[in-house]
Amino acid sequence: MTATETTLPVRVMIQDVWDELPLEVPADTTVGELKRQALSIPRIQRDPSDYVMKFRGFELRDESASLEAAGLVPNAALVVIPRRRRAAR
């Protein structure tokens, strides 16, 4: 990261493990890269495409967009949830 590159602090909640991960990433990080990074921290083995990332209740569908372009603000709270609901046992 260069001195001119801005960082964006975010909080990512991973529903599978109910952990909130405070991260500070470059503002030009893509939504998809942040999702992959967040899922790797608790060592979730499932394919990242099996998950969606939501901000303020809405799915961030364009995973190629930067966090800045997606409208994230400092300390944004994001949620990563499975794309499909799982059956209750």
Side-chain angles (χ1 to χ4, degrees):
M1 184 165 48
T2 63
T4 60
E5 199 171 318
T6 60
T7 60
L8 186 65
V10 294
R11 296 174 291 129
V12 182
M13 172 66 78
I14 308 292
Q15 185 186 32
D16 283 0
V17 292
W18 289 109
D19 280 344
E20 183 177 84
L21 309 169
L23 300 170
E24 191 158 328
V25 295
D28 63 352
T29 301
T30 65
V31 172
E33 179 56 35
L34 177 60
K35 180 174 73 170
R36 282 186 291 282
Q37 182 180 350
L39 288 169
S40 72
I41 292 170
R43 295 187 177 112
I44 292 177
Q45 299 296 317
R46 291 178 58 195
D47 186 353
S49 66
D50 291 342
Y51 292 87
V52 296
M53 182 171 278
K54 291 189 173 189
F55 174 57
R56 294 183 175 162
F58 294 95
E59 181 181 346
L60 298 174
R61 292 179 186 252
D62 184 4
E63 292 193 1
S64 65
S66 71
L67 301 178
E68 194 171 49
L72 270 67
V73 295
N75 296 310
L78 299 145
V79 179
V80 177
I81 61 172
R83 186 170 298 282
R84 301 188 193 287
R85 290 185 178 186
R86 296 186 197 149
R89 296 180 187 216

